[in-house]
Amino acid sequence: MIAPTPPMGWNSWNTFGSEIHETLIRETADAFLEQGLKEAGYQYVVIDDLWEADERDSDGRLTHDPAKFPHGIKALADYVHSKGLKFGIYSCAGSHTCAGKPASYGYEETDARTFAEWGVDFLKYDFCYKPAGTDGPTLYRRMGQALRMTGRPILYSVCEWGSNKPWEWAAGVGAQMWRTTGDIEDSWESMERIGFGQNGLERYAGPDHWNDPDMLIVGMYGKGNVAKGGCTDEEYRVHFSLWCLLAAPLMIGCDVRNMTDATREILTNRRVIAVNQDPLGRQGFRVGQEWDKFEVWMKQLADGSVAVGLFNRHESWGRKIAVAWESLGLHDRRACRVEDLWSGEDLGEHRGSFSAFVAPHSVVLIRLTPIV
Ligand code: GLA
Protein backbone atom coordinates (compact mmCIF):
# COMPACT_ATOMS: atom_id res chain seq x y z
CA MET A 1 0.00 0.00 0.00
CA ILE A 2 1.31 3.43 -0.93
CA ALA A 3 -0.81 5.37 1.57
CA PRO A 4 -2.05 3.17 4.43
CA THR A 5 -2.67 6.39 6.40
CA PRO A 6 -3.40 9.87 4.98
CA PRO A 7 -0.36 11.30 3.14
CA MET A 8 1.56 14.05 4.95
CA GLY A 9 3.80 16.61 3.30
CA TRP A 10 4.14 20.09 1.86
CA ASN A 11 3.06 21.62 -1.45
CA SER A 12 4.38 24.83 -2.98
CA TRP A 13 1.09 26.25 -4.32
CA ASN A 14 -0.68 27.91 -1.38
CA THR A 15 2.17 30.22 -0.48
CA PHE A 16 4.48 30.35 -3.47
CA GLY A 17 2.37 29.94 -6.63
CA SER A 18 4.73 30.75 -9.50
CA GLU A 19 7.55 31.88 -7.18
CA ILE A 20 9.24 28.50 -6.99
CA HIS A 21 12.88 27.64 -7.58
CA GLU A 22 15.27 24.89 -6.59
CA THR A 23 16.74 26.77 -3.64
CA LEU A 24 13.30 27.14 -2.08
CA ILE A 25 12.59 23.43 -2.51
CA ARG A 26 15.96 22.43 -1.07
CA GLU A 27 15.53 24.78 1.88
CA THR A 28 12.06 23.38 2.42
CA ALA A 29 13.44 19.84 2.56
CA ASP A 30 16.08 21.06 5.04
CA ALA A 31 13.35 22.67 7.14
CA PHE A 32 11.45 19.35 7.32
CA LEU A 33 14.38 18.08 9.39
CA GLU A 34 15.30 21.27 11.25
CA GLN A 35 11.72 22.13 12.27
CA GLY A 36 10.70 18.65 13.40
CA LEU A 37 8.28 18.10 10.52
CA LYS A 38 9.90 14.89 9.36
CA GLU A 39 9.86 13.55 12.89
CA ALA A 40 6.17 14.43 13.16
CA GLY A 41 5.47 12.29 10.07
CA TYR A 42 5.60 14.74 7.13
CA GLN A 43 7.22 13.03 4.17
CA TYR A 44 6.34 14.44 0.74
CA VAL A 45 7.89 17.62 -0.68
CA VAL A 46 5.68 18.49 -3.65
CA ILE A 47 6.24 21.09 -6.39
CA ASP A 48 2.96 22.31 -7.83
CA ASP A 49 2.29 24.00 -11.18
CA LEU A 50 4.75 26.35 -12.92
CA TRP A 51 7.85 24.19 -12.60
CA GLU A 52 7.56 23.44 -16.35
CA ALA A 53 9.30 25.01 -19.35
CA ASP A 54 6.97 26.63 -21.90
CA GLU A 55 7.53 23.80 -24.40
CA ARG A 56 8.31 20.11 -24.30
CA ASP A 57 11.91 19.21 -25.23
CA SER A 58 12.92 17.97 -28.70
CA ASP A 59 12.07 14.39 -27.66
CA GLY A 60 8.56 15.41 -26.67
CA ARG A 61 9.29 15.13 -22.95
CA LEU A 62 8.17 17.53 -20.26
CA THR A 63 11.06 19.56 -19.01
CA HIS A 64 11.80 22.08 -16.27
CA ASP A 65 11.87 25.86 -16.42
CA PRO A 66 15.66 26.39 -16.72
CA ALA A 67 15.65 29.66 -14.78
CA LYS A 68 13.83 28.16 -11.78
CA PHE A 69 15.51 24.74 -11.75
CA PRO A 70 18.97 25.15 -13.32
CA HIS A 71 20.06 21.67 -12.20
CA GLY A 72 16.90 19.94 -13.38
CA ILE A 73 14.30 17.92 -11.56
CA LYS A 74 16.23 14.69 -11.13
CA ALA A 75 18.96 16.45 -9.13
CA LEU A 76 16.30 18.03 -6.93
CA ALA A 77 14.54 14.70 -6.35
CA ASP A 78 17.92 13.21 -5.41
CA TYR A 79 18.46 15.98 -2.88
CA VAL A 80 15.02 15.46 -1.32
CA HIS A 81 15.68 11.71 -1.16
CA SER A 82 19.06 12.30 0.48
CA LYS A 83 17.14 13.81 3.40
CA GLY A 84 15.05 10.66 3.77
CA LEU A 85 12.01 12.41 2.27
CA LYS A 86 9.86 11.79 -0.78
CA PHE A 87 9.51 13.98 -3.84
CA GLY A 88 6.31 15.02 -5.63
CA ILE A 89 5.44 16.88 -8.78
CA TYR A 90 2.40 18.20 -10.68
CA SER A 91 0.85 17.75 -14.07
CA CYS A 92 -2.61 17.96 -15.59
CA ALA A 93 -5.01 15.69 -17.51
CA GLY A 94 -5.67 18.28 -20.24
CA SER A 95 -3.45 19.74 -22.94
CA HIS A 96 -2.20 22.50 -20.58
CA THR A 97 -1.88 22.92 -16.85
CA CYS A 98 -4.21 25.32 -15.07
CA ALA A 99 -1.49 27.95 -15.29
CA GLY A 100 -1.05 27.31 -19.03
CA LYS A 101 2.09 25.13 -19.22
CA PRO A 102 2.34 21.95 -21.33
CA ALA A 103 0.41 19.07 -19.73
CA SER A 104 -0.05 15.34 -20.14
CA TYR A 105 -3.06 14.77 -22.44
CA GLY A 106 -1.86 12.36 -25.12
CA TYR A 107 1.53 12.08 -23.41
CA GLU A 108 0.49 10.03 -20.38
CA GLU A 109 2.93 7.16 -20.92
CA THR A 110 5.86 9.43 -21.81
CA ASP A 111 5.28 11.66 -18.81
CA ALA A 112 4.77 8.82 -16.35
CA ARG A 113 8.03 7.31 -17.56
CA THR A 114 9.83 10.66 -17.25
CA PHE A 115 8.54 11.12 -13.70
CA ALA A 116 9.63 7.59 -12.74
CA GLU A 117 13.10 8.23 -14.19
CA TRP A 118 13.42 11.41 -12.19
CA GLY A 119 12.52 9.53 -9.00
CA VAL A 120 9.10 11.09 -8.47
CA ASP A 121 7.11 9.54 -5.59
CA PHE A 122 3.89 11.59 -5.81
CA LEU A 123 1.95 13.03 -8.73
CA LYS A 124 -0.76 15.66 -8.31
CA TYR A 125 -2.84 15.53 -11.48
CA ASP A 126 -5.08 18.50 -12.30
CA PHE A 127 -8.12 18.94 -14.59
CA CYS A 128 -7.75 22.08 -16.76
CA TYR A 129 -7.83 22.28 -20.60
CA LYS A 130 -9.51 18.94 -21.23
CA PRO A 131 -10.31 18.38 -24.88
CA ALA A 132 -14.06 18.52 -25.60
CA GLY A 133 -15.69 15.12 -25.45
CA THR A 134 -13.25 13.59 -22.99
CA ASP A 135 -14.41 12.70 -19.50
CA GLY A 136 -12.68 12.77 -16.14
CA PRO A 137 -12.75 9.09 -15.23
CA THR A 138 -11.24 8.12 -18.61
CA LEU A 139 -8.46 10.72 -18.46
CA TYR A 140 -7.58 9.81 -14.88
CA ARG A 141 -7.66 6.09 -15.69
CA ARG A 142 -5.11 6.69 -18.47
CA MET A 143 -2.57 8.33 -16.21
CA GLY A 144 -3.31 5.81 -13.44
CA GLN A 145 -2.48 3.00 -15.85
CA ALA A 146 0.63 4.79 -17.15
CA LEU A 147 1.92 5.26 -13.59
CA ARG A 148 1.32 1.60 -12.81
CA MET A 149 3.22 0.57 -15.93
CA THR A 150 6.35 2.38 -14.75
CA GLY A 151 6.69 -0.14 -11.94
CA ARG A 152 7.60 2.64 -9.53
CA PRO A 153 5.27 3.22 -6.57
CA ILE A 154 4.01 6.76 -7.25
CA LEU A 155 1.26 8.17 -5.08
CA TYR A 156 -1.50 9.37 -7.41
CA SER A 157 -3.32 12.49 -6.23
CA VAL A 158 -6.38 13.28 -8.34
CA CYS A 159 -7.28 16.97 -8.49
CA GLU A 160 -10.56 17.40 -10.36
CA TRP A 161 -12.15 19.46 -7.59
CA GLY A 162 -14.98 16.99 -6.93
CA SER A 163 -16.50 17.76 -10.37
CA ASN A 164 -17.23 14.14 -11.33
CA LYS A 165 -17.76 12.65 -7.85
CA PRO A 166 -14.23 11.19 -7.76
CA TRP A 167 -15.02 9.48 -4.44
CA GLU A 168 -17.04 7.01 -6.57
CA TRP A 169 -14.33 6.08 -9.09
CA ALA A 170 -10.88 7.55 -8.30
CA ALA A 171 -9.74 4.65 -6.10
CA GLY A 172 -10.66 2.37 -9.00
CA VAL A 173 -8.29 4.19 -11.38
CA GLY A 174 -5.41 3.84 -8.94
CA ALA A 175 -5.61 7.10 -6.93
CA GLN A 176 -4.66 7.21 -3.27
CA MET A 177 -6.37 10.58 -2.78
CA TRP A 178 -8.72 12.86 -4.64
CA ARG A 179 -9.79 16.45 -4.12
CA THR A 180 -13.42 16.80 -3.10
CA THR A 181 -13.68 20.58 -3.57
CA GLY A 182 -12.40 23.65 -5.38
CA ASP A 183 -9.32 25.48 -4.14
CA ILE A 184 -8.99 26.53 -0.52
CA GLU A 185 -8.07 30.14 0.30
CA ASP A 186 -6.40 31.47 3.42
CA SER A 187 -9.54 32.65 5.21
CA TRP A 188 -11.89 31.35 7.89
CA GLU A 189 -14.84 31.42 5.44
CA SER A 190 -13.08 29.28 2.82
CA MET A 191 -11.75 26.79 5.36
CA GLU A 192 -15.11 26.58 7.13
CA ARG A 193 -17.16 26.08 3.95
CA ILE A 194 -14.87 23.31 2.72
CA GLY A 195 -14.14 21.59 6.02
CA PHE A 196 -17.60 21.40 7.53
CA GLY A 197 -18.97 20.54 4.07
CA GLN A 198 -17.23 17.15 4.03
CA ASN A 199 -19.86 15.34 6.07
CA GLY A 200 -21.32 12.37 4.17
CA LEU A 201 -18.16 11.48 2.23
CA GLU A 202 -16.78 9.39 5.10
CA ARG A 203 -17.89 6.08 3.64
CA TYR A 204 -15.62 6.55 0.62
CA ALA A 205 -12.37 6.89 2.57
CA GLY A 206 -10.07 4.27 4.03
CA PRO A 207 -6.50 3.00 3.90
CA ASP A 208 -4.93 3.84 0.51
CA HIS A 209 -7.94 5.89 -0.68
CA TRP A 210 -8.58 9.25 0.93
CA ASN A 211 -10.90 12.20 0.38
CA ASP A 212 -8.83 15.38 0.03
CA PRO A 213 -10.47 18.67 1.07
CA ASP A 214 -7.34 20.51 -0.18
CA MET A 215 -4.08 21.63 1.35
CA LEU A 216 -3.57 23.30 4.70
CA ILE A 217 -3.56 27.05 5.15
CA VAL A 218 -2.17 26.84 8.72
CA GLY A 219 0.55 29.43 9.23
CA MET A 220 -0.09 31.54 6.13
CA TYR A 221 -1.46 34.53 8.10
CA GLY A 222 -2.78 36.23 4.97
CA LYS A 223 0.44 36.02 2.96
CA GLY A 224 1.08 34.17 -0.28
CA ASN A 225 -0.60 32.88 -3.38
CA VAL A 226 -4.01 31.90 -1.93
CA ALA A 227 -4.07 34.65 0.70
CA LYS A 228 -7.54 35.94 1.57
CA GLY A 229 -7.17 37.82 4.83
CA GLY A 230 -5.65 35.00 6.88
CA CYS A 231 -6.77 33.40 10.13
CA THR A 232 -5.90 33.58 13.81
CA ASP A 233 -3.92 30.81 15.47
CA GLU A 234 -7.10 29.55 17.09
CA GLU A 235 -8.83 29.41 13.69
CA TYR A 236 -5.87 27.48 12.28
CA ARG A 237 -6.24 25.09 15.23
CA VAL A 238 -9.89 24.56 14.25
CA HIS A 239 -8.76 23.88 10.66
CA PHE A 240 -6.10 21.38 11.68
CA SER A 241 -8.41 19.63 14.17
CA LEU A 242 -11.07 19.21 11.49
CA TRP A 243 -8.62 17.94 8.84
CA CYS A 244 -7.31 15.41 11.38
CA LEU A 245 -10.82 14.19 12.24
CA LEU A 246 -11.54 13.96 8.48
CA ALA A 247 -8.54 11.68 7.91
CA ALA A 248 -7.58 14.24 5.27
CA PRO A 249 -4.13 14.32 3.68
CA LEU A 250 -2.04 16.84 5.64
CA MET A 251 -0.25 18.85 2.97
CA ILE A 252 1.25 21.94 4.57
CA GLY A 253 0.83 25.14 2.55
CA CYS A 254 2.84 27.73 4.49
CA ASP A 255 6.52 28.66 4.28
CA VAL A 256 8.00 26.03 6.61
CA ARG A 257 11.37 27.81 6.66
CA ASN A 258 9.78 30.66 8.61
CA MET A 259 7.08 29.30 10.88
CA THR A 260 5.92 31.00 14.06
CA ASP A 261 6.07 28.92 17.24
CA ALA A 262 2.28 28.64 17.17
CA THR A 263 2.31 27.32 13.60
CA ARG A 264 4.97 24.75 14.44
CA GLU A 265 3.06 23.65 17.54
CA ILE A 266 -0.15 23.21 15.54
CA LEU A 267 1.47 21.31 12.69
CA THR A 268 3.49 18.98 14.89
CA ASN A 269 1.14 18.14 17.78
CA ARG A 270 1.63 14.40 18.14
CA ARG A 271 -1.68 13.61 19.82
CA VAL A 272 -3.66 15.44 17.16
CA ILE A 273 -1.65 13.94 14.28
CA ALA A 274 -2.19 10.48 15.79
CA VAL A 275 -5.93 10.98 15.25
CA ASN A 276 -5.29 11.70 11.56
CA GLN A 277 -2.81 8.83 11.20
CA ASP A 278 -4.80 6.26 13.15
CA PRO A 279 -4.36 2.86 11.46
CA LEU A 280 -8.08 2.09 11.36
CA GLY A 281 -8.31 4.78 8.66
CA ARG A 282 -11.85 5.95 9.41
CA GLN A 283 -12.92 9.39 8.26
CA GLY A 284 -14.82 11.37 10.90
CA PHE A 285 -18.34 12.70 10.56
CA ARG A 286 -20.83 15.01 12.27
CA VAL A 287 -22.87 13.66 15.16
CA GLY A 288 -24.42 16.84 16.50
CA GLN A 289 -25.34 20.32 15.29
CA GLU A 290 -27.19 23.27 16.76
CA TRP A 291 -28.17 26.42 14.87
CA ASP A 292 -25.64 25.61 12.16
CA LYS A 293 -22.96 27.03 14.43
CA PHE A 294 -22.17 24.53 17.17
CA GLU A 295 -21.04 21.17 15.89
CA VAL A 296 -19.83 17.86 17.27
CA TRP A 297 -17.73 15.56 15.06
CA MET A 298 -16.37 12.12 15.88
CA LYS A 299 -13.74 9.75 14.49
CA GLN A 300 -13.41 6.13 15.56
CA LEU A 301 -9.89 4.99 16.41
CA ALA A 302 -8.22 1.60 16.23
CA ASP A 303 -7.91 1.05 19.99
CA GLY A 304 -11.66 1.49 20.58
CA SER A 305 -11.36 5.09 21.67
CA VAL A 306 -13.13 7.96 19.92
CA ALA A 307 -11.79 11.39 18.97
CA VAL A 308 -14.38 14.14 19.31
CA GLY A 309 -14.29 17.76 18.18
CA LEU A 310 -16.57 20.31 19.82
CA PHE A 311 -16.58 23.14 17.29
CA ASN A 312 -17.87 26.68 17.68
CA ARG A 313 -18.39 28.33 14.27
CA HIS A 314 -20.02 31.45 15.77
CA GLU A 315 -17.94 34.59 15.31
CA SER A 316 -18.70 36.26 18.64
CA TRP A 317 -20.65 33.95 20.95
CA GLY A 318 -18.84 31.51 23.21
CA ARG A 319 -20.97 28.61 24.37
CA LYS A 320 -20.93 25.33 26.23
CA ILE A 321 -21.04 22.44 23.77
CA ALA A 322 -21.95 18.94 24.89
CA VAL A 323 -21.46 15.48 23.47
CA ALA A 324 -23.75 12.70 24.64
CA TRP A 325 -22.28 9.19 24.69
CA GLU A 326 -25.48 8.06 22.97
CA SER A 327 -24.59 10.05 19.82
CA LEU A 328 -21.22 8.25 19.69
CA GLY A 329 -22.75 4.79 19.91
CA LEU A 330 -21.57 4.35 23.51
CA HIS A 331 -23.94 3.28 26.27
CA ASP A 332 -24.82 6.05 28.75
CA ARG A 333 -23.45 4.20 31.73
CA ARG A 334 -20.08 3.56 30.12
CA ALA A 335 -17.31 5.36 31.96
CA CYS A 336 -14.78 7.04 29.71
CA ARG A 337 -11.47 8.73 30.40
CA VAL A 338 -11.33 12.08 28.63
CA GLU A 339 -8.09 13.63 27.41
CA ASP A 340 -7.67 17.08 25.90
CA LEU A 341 -5.72 16.41 22.72
CA TRP A 342 -4.23 19.85 22.15
CA SER A 343 -2.85 20.18 25.70
CA GLY A 344 -2.52 16.54 26.71
CA GLU A 345 -4.37 17.30 29.94
CA ASP A 346 -6.29 14.46 31.59
CA LEU A 347 -9.86 15.74 32.00
CA GLY A 348 -10.93 12.85 34.22
CA GLU A 349 -13.55 10.15 34.09
CA HIS A 350 -17.01 10.91 32.73
CA ARG A 351 -20.26 9.03 32.18
CA GLY A 352 -23.12 9.79 29.81
CA SER A 353 -21.82 13.04 28.40
CA PHE A 354 -19.05 15.60 28.40
CA SER A 355 -19.34 19.32 27.90
CA ALA A 356 -16.93 22.20 27.66
CA PHE A 357 -17.06 25.92 27.02
CA VAL A 358 -15.89 26.63 23.49
CA ALA A 359 -14.87 30.17 22.53
CA PRO A 360 -15.95 31.72 19.17
CA HIS A 361 -14.15 30.24 16.12
CA SER A 362 -12.57 27.67 18.38
CA VAL A 363 -12.50 23.96 19.15
CA VAL A 364 -12.14 21.58 22.06
CA LEU A 365 -10.64 18.36 20.74
CA ILE A 366 -10.81 15.34 23.03
CA ARG A 367 -10.25 11.61 23.04
CA LEU A 368 -12.69 9.40 24.94
CA THR A 369 -11.36 6.05 26.02
CA PRO A 370 -14.00 3.66 27.39
CA ILE A 371 -12.89 2.07 30.65
CA VAL A 372 -13.63 -1.63 30.39
C1 GLA B 1 -5.71 24.20 -9.74
C2 GLA B 1 -5.54 23.32 -8.51
C3 GLA B 1 -4.64 24.01 -7.51
C4 GLA B 1 -3.28 24.31 -8.15
C5 GLA B 1 -3.46 25.12 -9.42
C6 GLA B 1 -2.16 25.24 -10.21
O1 GLA B 1 -6.39 25.38 -9.43
O2 GLA B 1 -6.80 23.02 -7.95
O3 GLA B 1 -4.50 23.22 -6.34
O4 GLA B 1 -2.64 23.10 -8.40
O5 GLA B 1 -4.44 24.53 -10.29
O6 GLA B 1 -2.32 25.94 -11.41
Side-chain angles (χ1 to χ4, degrees):
M1 254 194 269
I2 294 181
T5 59
M8 296 173 68
W10 172 90
N11 175 299
S12 59
W13 186 253
N14 279 3
T15 291
F16 296 98
S18 71
E19 306 298 312
I20 46 176
H21 47 79
E22 62 184 34
T23 314
L24 165 71
I25 307 303
R26 282 167 178 255
E27 288 175 2
T28 296
D30 295 345
F32 266 55
L33 278 71
E34 287 155 12
Q35 304 288 331
L37 295 173
K38 183 182 179 199
E39 212 189 324
Y42 295 91
Q43 225 185 344
Y44 292 97
V45 177
V46 181
I47 310 181
D48 207 282
D49 202 354
L50 291 167
W51 63 269
E52 312 88 344
D54 287 337
E55 305 290 340
R56 289 177 174 270
D57 70 11
S58 51
D59 298 325
R61 290 163 45 122
L62 281 179
T63 186
H64 57 276
D65 179 326
K68 291 175 176 172
F69 300 97
H71 298 90
I73 302 298
K74 169 105 178 55
L76 192 54
D78 289 347
Y79 184 80
V80 170
H81 290 148
S82 77
K83 300 277 163 179
L85 300 169
K86 293 186 170 166
F87 178 75
I89 209 161
Y90 163 102
S91 189
C92 178
S95 60
H96 297 79
T97 70
C98 293
K101 298 290 182 177
S104 297
Y105 178 73
Y107 290 91
E108 290 86 353
E109 281 184 56
T110 309
D111 293 352
R113 221 177 303 125
T114 304
F115 297 147
E117 281 167 22
W118 287 345
V120 165
D121 307 296
F122 179 116
L123 175 67
K124 172 174 171 182
Y125 203 52
D126 219 332
F127 201 47
C128 286
Y129 294 99
K130 313 151 292 275
T134 58
D135 69 279
T138 305
L139 295 179
Y140 281 98
R141 184 180 300 280
R142 272 196 216 171
M143 182 50 97
Q145 182 62 7
L147 290 173
R148 233 181 330 246
M149 280 166 59
T150 67
R152 183 178 172 86
I154 299 178
L155 192 155
Y156 186 26
S157 165
V158 162
C159 177
E160 56 82 92
W161 323 302
S163 336
N164 296 273
K165 299 194 174 157
W167 43 89
E168 290 178 352
W169 51 265
V173 305
Q176 282 72 35
M177 58 192 263
W178 50 84
R179 283 270 295 276
T180 56
T181 73
D183 292 5
I184 199 167
E185 291 173 329
D186 180 24
S187 72
W188 167 265
E189 292 71 26
S190 171
M191 182 286 292
E192 179 188 40
R193 183 169 33 78
I194 290 177
F196 291 104
Q198 298 302 298
N199 194 51
L201 292 179
E202 61 277 0
R203 68 179 178 278
Y204 299 100
D208 222 29
H209 51 100
W210 308 102
N211 287 305
D212 172 15
D214 207 1
M215 303 170 292
L216 299 169
I217 54 168
V218 177
M220 291 184 63
Y221 301 108
K223 286 198 228 92
N225 187 43
V226 302
K228 207 50 188 293
C231 296
T232 64
D233 287 330
E234 192 51 34
E235 290 172 338
Y236 288 137
R237 212 167 284 125
V238 169
H239 169 34
F240 197 75
S241 303
L242 188 51
W243 263 238
C244 285
L245 287 170
L246 290 170
L250 299 177
M251 300 302 290
I252 298 172
C254 69
D255 181 351
V256 294
R257 302 168 306 171
N258 299 300
M259 290 185 285
T260 64
D261 290 346
T263 295
R264 193 181 316 98
E265 280 158 23
I266 293 171
L267 292 173
T268 61
N269 186 299
R270 274 160 210 294
R271 290 174 298 274
V272 179
I273 290 176
V275 170
N276 178 268
Q277 293 291 302
D278 184 77
L280 191 60
R282 292 282 168 82
Q283 175 172 328
F285 48 91
R286 186 163 53 221
V287 293
Q289 188 177 35
E290 280 184 88
W291 303 316
D292 285 346
K293 290 292 178 195
F294 310 105
E295 304 206 358
V296 181
W297 288 62
M298 72 171 276
K299 181 184 195 289
Q300 294 143 287
L301 303 172
D303 67 354
S305 67
V306 186
V308 174
L310 309 174
F311 291 96
N312 184 351
R313 299 172 61 177
H314 202 282
E315 62 183 13
S316 56
W317 188 19
R319 188 173 185 265
K320 192 178 248 196
I321 302 180
V323 53
W325 276 202
E326 199 59 52
S327 60
L328 305 174
L330 286 172
H331 195 279
D332 265 1
R333 285 193 298 273
R334 198 86 188 263
C336 289
R337 182 149 293 284
V338 179
E339 181 189 21
D340 182 291
L341 287 176
W342 280 108
S343 70
E345 193 189 337
D346 181 351
L347 301 177
E349 237 180 81
H350 295 261
R351 276 172 209 270
S353 70
F354 175 85
S355 62
F357 178 84
V358 190
H361 286 196
S362 183
V363 64
V364 170
L365 188 67
I366 54 176
R367 184 165 181 152
L368 304 181
T369 309
I371 301 164
V372 213

